[in-house]
Amino acid sequence: MSLVLDPAAQDLLFREARTANTFTDEPVTDEQVQAIYDLVKYGPTAFNQSPLRVTLVRSPEARERLVQLMAEGNRPKTAAAPLVAILSADNEFHEELPQLFPHFPEAKDAFFSERPVREGAAGLNAALQAAYFIVGVRAAGLAAGPMTGFDFEGVRKEFLDDDHTALMVVNIGRPGPDAWFPRSPRLEYDQVVTTV
C-alpha cells in the first residue's frame, strides 16, 4: 500500500464513513466544532480565499424554522440531529484577502472586483471547504449527514443575507440505530483516471 495514513484513520475518514440518517441524543459541543474547524481551516483554497461560512443551528426555534425549509424526507433527521450546520459561501470573501493572501493583497481588486466572479470563486472554493468540513466531522469521531434537499432561497432569507449563498445543510452527531443505508457502488480507478 502506498498510503502513509494509518489504515484505521483511512477507514474512519473514508472506507467506513457514511452519510448518517439517524443520531443518538449525545450533544455536539462548541469545543468539538472548534476542534473540527481548527483542523479543516488548513485545507487549501485558491488565493487562500477561505469563503466557507458555518451557521450552527442550536436553538429550538431556529431548528423548527430550518426543518420547515427542508425537503419532506430530510425533515425528521434534521429535527432529531444533535447539531445542524448550514454551510454557505461568503460572496464578499475578497474583503479578507489582504489578511489571508498578504504577499499579494492587490488580488482583492485585481481578480475579485466583480460580483459574478466572486460568486463563482466562492461557490467552488466553499464547496471544497465543505468537503474538508465533512472529513473533519469524521476525524472528530462524529458522523455527518450532508443534504442539499432544502429551499435554498428560503434558507438564505431566514438564516443568511444577500452576501451568502447556501451550499448544504449538515446534520452532525454520533450515529444512531440503523444510521446507514447500504454502501452504494463506486467507480473503479480505470473508469475515472485517464492518462494522456
Side-chain angles (χ1 to χ4, degrees):
M1 168 98 27
S2 59
L3 299 176
V4 298
L5 189 64
D6 178 86
Q10 295 174 37
D11 289 344
L12 176 70
L13 299 179
F14 295 101
R15 289 193 205 97
E16 299 298 325
R18 305 270 192 67
T19 295
N21 294 290
T22 68
F23 297 90
T24 69
D25 59 2
E26 181 180 333
V28 177
T29 67
D30 288 336
E31 292 78 17
Q32 287 171 300
V33 177
Q34 177 78 51
I36 291 164
Y37 177 74
D38 285 342
L39 174 65
V40 304
K41 69 183 179 184
Y42 293 109
T45 57
F47 292 93
N48 197 34
Q49 59 190 246
S50 306
L52 181 71
R53 301 296 179 263
V54 180
T55 303
L56 300 179
V57 182
R58 287 210 180 268
S59 75
E61 299 79 18
R63 179 75 64 100
E64 183 55 33
R65 293 192 331 262
L66 178 60
V67 166
Q68 295 310 310
L69 296 167
M70 301 303 293
E72 188 68 35
N74 291 333
R75 288 179 181 176
K77 53 191 170 185
T78 302
L83 180 62
V84 182
I86 300 168
L87 305 188
S88 64
D90 181 356
N91 296 309
E92 297 298 312
F93 70 87
H94 69 306
E95 297 296 343
E96 307 295 337
L97 283 182
Q99 172 191 345
L100 295 173
F101 206 60
H103 55 283
F104 184 35
E106 299 83 8
K108 173 186 176 227
D109 297 315
F111 296 106
F112 301 110
S113 61
E114 296 180 18
R115 176 71 179 237
V117 173
R118 289 197 306 276
E119 288 178 354
L124 175 65
N125 286 279
L128 182 62
Q129 286 186 286
Y132 301 148
F133 183 84
I134 292 166
V135 173
V137 167
R138 294 171 177 177
L142 301 170
M147 301 168 291
T148 56
F150 62 90
D151 177 351
F152 280 76
E153 184 59 18
V155 166
R156 187 195 60 74
K157 286 180 179 176
E158 190 69 33
F159 295 97
L160 306 171
D161 59 31
D162 289 341
D163 290 332
H164 293 80
T165 302
L167 298 173
M168 65 182 68
V169 172
V170 183
N171 295 328
I172 304 169
R174 300 243 180 242
D178 302 315
W180 323 115
F181 293 137
R183 172 71 80 190
S184 296
R186 298 297 193 266
L187 295 174
E188 295 300 326
Y189 179 84
D190 60 355
Q191 294 175 281
V192 175
V193 177
T194 304
T195 302
V196 293

